[in-house]
Amino acid sequence: MAENPAVAAIQDDLRKRGVKYVIGAYVDIHGAQKGKVVPIEHMQHMAAGSERYTGYALDGLGQAPNEDELASVPDLSHIIQLPWEPKIAWTPADLTFGGVPYPLSTRVALKAQLAKAADMGFGFNLGIECEIFLLRQAADGSLQTPDPNDRLIKPCYDIPSFVSNFAWLDKVSTTINALGWDLYSLDHEDACGQFEFDFAYADALTMCDRLTFFRFMAKHYAKEEGLIATMMPKPFADRTGNGAHFNMSLRDLASGANIFACDPKDDPRGLGLSETGYHFIGGVLRHGRALCAAFAPTVNSYKRLVRQGAMGTFSWAPVFNSYGSNNRTNSVRVPAGGGRCESRNADGSVNPYLAAALVLAAGLEGIRDKVDPGQPNEDNLYELTDAARLDRGIAFLPQTLEEAVEAFAEDPLVEATLGKGLRDEFIRYKTAEWQEYHLTISPWEIARYSHMF
């Protein structure tokens, strides 16, 4: 095989930095990382697609046992040397089949949608807020807050509980900044044991790669502390859940300018958003119920998407397909200052590539069709009467994974964006997930019914 000079330069640099092995990582339909590892000496072969995979052994790739293998091609522009094990480099990878990108690979699907945006002159900016629980697993398997003093009814922004978990927080934060992601804020979030990391937005593909690596990194550093880190949407019924809010804008590929930006005084709605930005939101709302399946893709997700549930206060989670200003009871929010919109549906279990592909497709349709999202909602929608909600034309988001998958299956945008193969695989796996959950007898049912009847 002829040596690729660009790969050789990266290979030589990694050797000098002590790297001995390279992981080519892609994600399955759930967003879980998969991949193979090669010694640095074989990096040229890996870059040419030498690492082959039996697709039938993985969820969501649509292959039967008799079919030829898939291969992965690493994206060496996004390579990361593991801070905790510098002998290993990690790089995201795209699946191929027969030498061409494989359309059932969700990273490939996002790249295809980004190309469609580029045809319209747009780049897609994305920032994902990383909410995550740091917990201890007890001998009985239950999850507990590691700091016994972290037990306030409203623990958001609590400084003592932040400092008591500083060792883990510092490791994660130091790594984020060392990687050049520009961490600009972190805090104790709204639930006991919950924290949030906010770093600078990037192009959508880069941001999705970063979320994938963040999960890997945060879990590793928790394990070093003898703890567990999880972005599971709702680990506790009586606490708020983990969002992964998508902060979105489009940029002009020619100038780099933010197409959503607008002086609030020039915006009749007063949110500081251009008409293109409002049309993008209009498309997101048009397909909001179907998008929910990608943003919130697990059974557990819908324990988070409630107004209050078992909690003593409101949940902060969206339950309505609506938008507004800096009002967190909407599913789509325009933060103070405008220039971007935030989808609050997304949670910590999201496959970011899949969700980003679909929400971008919905927003671009909104721009093409000039979809008007209506007037923003400024009041507390949790307290809105059904009559008032219907009068405004505000629909509920799906309330179970089953309902979300049904909306996903019925929306033609999904197949147009993902192709029939990836659409059908998502429906198949998520329907099976719902059915498995529904057929499980829970401890709650035993406790409630076994002595009642």
Side-chain angles (χ1 to χ4, degrees), residues 274-284 362-363 366-367 370-373:
S274 67
E275 279 303 302
T276 301
Y278 286 113
H279 294 325
F280 186 95
I281 290 174
V284 172
I367 293 169
K370 299 187 183 302
V371 178
D372 183 357

Side-chain angles (χ1 to χ4, degrees), residues 8 18 27 30 48 64 98 139 156 158 164 206 210 212 216 233 272 294 301 308 320 379 382 388 399-400 405 416 434:
V27 302
H30 309 294
C156 202
D158 185 55
S164 69
T206 296
R210 288 177 177 176
T212 301
F216 180 30
S301 298
Q308 185 166 348
F320 304 108
D379 47 348
Y382 293 152
Q399 297 180 357
T400 66
V405 172
W434 168 260

Side-chain angles (χ1 to χ4, degrees), residues 125-146:
N125 295 328
L126 178 62
I128 302 178
E129 301 171 28
C130 295
E131 295 180 351
I132 187 165
F133 277 92
L134 182 67
L135 303 169
R136 173 176 288 113
Q137 189 161 29
D140 64 359
S142 64
L143 297 176
Q144 301 174 354
T145 305

Side-chain angles (χ1 to χ4, degrees), residues 26-34 106 212 215 349-353 430:
Y26 57 92
V27 302
D28 67 11
I29 202 164
H30 309 294
Q33 287 193 67
K34 306 290 181 178
T106 54
T212 301
R215 286 172 173 154
S349 66
V350 67
N351 177 333
Y353 307 102
K430 291 303 172 178

Side-chain angles (χ1 to χ4, degrees), residues 131-135 143 168 193-195 215 218-219 222 227-236 242 348:
E131 295 180 351
I132 187 165
F133 277 92
L134 182 67
L135 303 169
L143 297 176
W168 175 76
Q194 186 186 37
F195 300 89
R215 286 172 173 154
K219 285 178 174 291
L227 301 172
I228 293 170
T230 180
M231 294 182 77
M232 175 182 177
K234 189 79 169 177
F236 304 98
N242 283 323

Side-chain angles (χ1 to χ4, degrees), residues 89-113:
W90 175 98
T91 180
D94 295 324
L95 291 177
T96 63
F97 186 73
V100 298
Y102 188 57
L104 274 71
S105 170
T106 54
R107 194 173 190 269
V108 169
L110 173 57
K111 291 173 77 171
Q113 195 57 41

Side-chain angles (χ1 to χ4, degrees), residues 258-380:
N258 181 357
I259 294 170
F260 285 9
C262 172
D263 192 316
K265 70 176 184 294
D266 298 325
D267 171 13
R269 297 178 174 98
L271 304 187
L273 207 63
S274 67
E275 279 303 302
T276 301
Y278 286 113
H279 294 325
F280 186 95
I281 290 174
V284 172
L285 296 180
R286 175 187 276 183
H287 299 283
R289 286 177 54 79
L291 291 175
C292 202
F295 278 134
T298 67
V299 165
N300 185 251
S301 298
Y302 297 86
K303 309 292 178 72
R304 170 182 169 262
L305 296 182
V306 295
R307 277 178 271 199
Q308 185 166 348
M311 296 167 31
T313 59
F314 286 127
S315 68
W316 301 106
V319 295
F320 304 108
N321 189 38
S322 61
Y323 94 104
S325 61
N326 204 25
N327 174 1
R328 289 168 172 79
T329 64
N330 289 290
S331 59
V332 178
R333 178 177 75 107
V334 179
R340 60 187 167 104
C341 63
E342 174 195 70
S343 175
R344 299 178 57 76
N345 297 12
D347 68 37
S349 66
V350 67
N351 177 333
Y353 307 102
L354 182 74
L358 284 167
V359 74
L360 175 58
L364 294 179
E365 181 186 285
I367 293 169
R368 286 192 297 267
D369 294 353
K370 299 187 183 302
V371 178
D372 183 357
Q375 289 302 307
N377 298 282
E378 309 292 355
D379 47 348
N380 183 352

